[in-house]
Amino acid sequence: MSPGALLFMALAWIFVLGLTFWSFARILRAQAHFAPDGIGPAAPPVAGRAEGPGHG
């Protein structure tokens, strides 16, 4: 493989993995979590911005 192809492949993977981690971090920050086994908060999670009324 040529050095240009390796560089392109590395940059593409960095972009894909970065976008994946950014997306999951945004999803996890957008919603409050609770543990139903009694360890976490007593209230269920608040619906996120992407969820309409009646979800959760």
Side-chain angles (χ1 to χ4, degrees):
M1 238 190 222
S2 70
L6 287 172
L7 179 64
F8 174 79
M9 187 171 63
L11 290 175
W13 271 108
I14 289 170
F15 175 76
V16 168
L17 293 176
L19 186 61
T20 302
F21 288 121
W22 175 80
S23 299
F24 276 106
R26 187 174 166 127
I27 289 169
L28 292 176
R29 274 193 312 249
Q31 186 172 359
H33 298 281
F34 80 111
D37 59 358
I39 296 173
V46 177
R49 290 185 311 223
E51 298 174 351
H55 289 89

